[in-house]
Amino acid sequence: MQLKIPNTEVITSVSDSQHEILRNIIQLYCPQGFDADFTYNTGGFYKKGIPQPLWKYDIKPLAPDVIQADVRNLPFNSSSIKSAVFDPPFLAGSNINSKPYIMAKRYTMFKNMTDLQMMYTDALREISRVLSPGGILVFKCQDVIHGKQFYTNSVFVVNRAKDCGFECIDQFVCINRNPIVQIRGQQMHSRKVHTYFLIFRKRSRIRKKKGVVHEL
C-alpha cells in the first residue's frame, strides 16, 4: 500500500508572479476555478495553467467569446455564482485627454479619484448581489499617488466591501520587478511597485437581535 504524502509546500502572501498568486488562490479558496471574470480584457490572468472562467465579461470586449456587460449591472440572478474575479483600473487624472500617463495608454483611466471610488463602490454592491452566500471575490487593486496625495485604494476597497456584505479573508501582494518609472520633478512619495489581490467572502445575511448584530 502506497502512503500518500501530504503537500508540505507553504503558500506565502508575496510573489512576483500574478499567476502563482492566482494558482494559490484557487488552491486555497476556489478549487473548481473561477465562475466569472467581470473585467476579462484579453485574458492575461489565464495563462501558465490558470483555468479559464466559466463566464467572461468586459465593458468593452476584446475577444469574441467575451460578453459585453457593465460590472455595475450584471446579467446574473441574485446569489447565482460562487466565485468571481474583478480587476478594475486604478489610475486617475484630469489630464486623461491631453497628456496621459504611460500606464494610461495601456489601461483605462478614471477622470478623478471620486469617479474611481464611486465605480468601485457600485461594482462591489452589484457583485455582492450576484454572489451566493459564502461566495469568493478576488479583487485586484493598487494604492496610488494622485495630485501629490497618497490614496490607499486597498483600504478603501476593504471598507466598502465590508459595507456591501463581504469579509476580507486573505491578501496577496504581487511585486513588479520591472516597473514603468516616470520622474516628474522632485519625487515626493515612494514609487508603488506592488499590487494587492484581496480575497473576500460574502457573508450570510445579518440579523439584529436585542441590539446585537449576529452573522448567520
Side-chain angles (χ1 to χ4, degrees):
M1 179 178 180
Q2 185 177 2
L3 295 176
K4 292 185 178 180
I5 301 175
N7 182 8
T8 58
E9 182 180 353
V10 176
I11 292 176
T12 61
S13 61
V14 178
S15 174
D16 61 0
S17 167
Q18 66 179 7
H19 296 101
E20 179 183 22
I21 288 175
L22 288 166
R23 281 194 296 270
N24 290 338
I25 292 171
I26 290 172
Q27 180 177 336
L28 289 174
Y29 302 108
C30 304
Q32 304 303 317
F34 302 118
D35 281 356
D37 187 325
F38 303 131
T39 45
Y40 185 84
N41 200 273
T42 58
F45 276 170
Y46 307 99
K47 299 177 181 179
K48 300 184 179 181
I50 307 299
Q52 294 281 334
L54 295 177
W55 297 289
K56 307 170 187 178
Y57 293 92
D58 206 297
I59 195 167
K60 294 182 179 179
L62 298 175
D65 58 343
V66 179
I67 301 171
Q68 194 281 329
D70 189 326
V71 69
R72 295 166 292 186
N73 184 24
L74 294 167
F76 286 102
N77 295 327
S78 297
S79 303
S80 60
I81 63 175
K82 296 180 180 179
S83 60
V85 177
F86 184 41
D87 177 17
F90 56 82
L91 297 168
S94 59
N95 60 347
I96 183 171
N97 295 319
S98 56
K99 296 179 181 179
Y101 298 111
I102 293 175
M103 288 292 288
K105 295 178 181 179
R106 298 170 54 195
Y107 304 104
T108 303
M109 190 175 185
F110 290 99
K111 183 177 180 180
N112 52 52
M113 292 303 295
T114 299
D115 286 355
L116 179 149
Q117 292 178 353
M118 288 179 60
M119 187 273 190
Y120 282 14
T121 300
D122 292 343
L124 283 166
R125 290 196 187 106
E126 178 68 351
I127 295 171
S128 178
R129 180 187 70 81
V130 303
L131 274 181
S132 59
I136 296 296
L137 168 63
V138 180
F139 194 129
K140 183 183 177 183
C141 65
Q142 180 173 336
D143 298 338
V144 298
I145 304 297
H146 173 65
K148 299 183 180 180
Q149 183 174 343
F150 176 42
Y151 287 86
T152 52
N153 284 342
S154 57
V155 176
F156 177 85
V157 169
V158 170
N159 289 334
R160 292 293 78 75
K162 183 178 180 181
D163 295 339
C164 295
F166 290 102
E167 60 176 333
C168 188
I169 59 174
D170 213 336
Q171 177 194 75
F172 292 83
V173 180
C174 187
I175 305 296
N176 185 354
R177 300 295 184 186
N178 299 291
I180 298 174
V181 178
Q182 186 177 28
I183 304 299
R184 295 187 175 188
Q186 183 179 0
Q187 184 172 354
M188 304 297 293
H189 300 273
S190 62
R191 177 69 169 88
K192 306 300 176 265
V193 296
H194 63 281
T195 55
Y196 297 100
F197 285 78
L198 301 173
I199 316 303
F200 296 102
R201 178 180 288 127
K202 182 181 175 181
R203 298 194 302 267
S204 301
R205 61 187 179 88
I206 304 296
R207 70 180 182 186
K208 292 184 178 180
K209 183 177 181 181
K210 296 182 178 180
V212 179
V213 176
H214 297 269
E215 182 177 328
L216 302 182

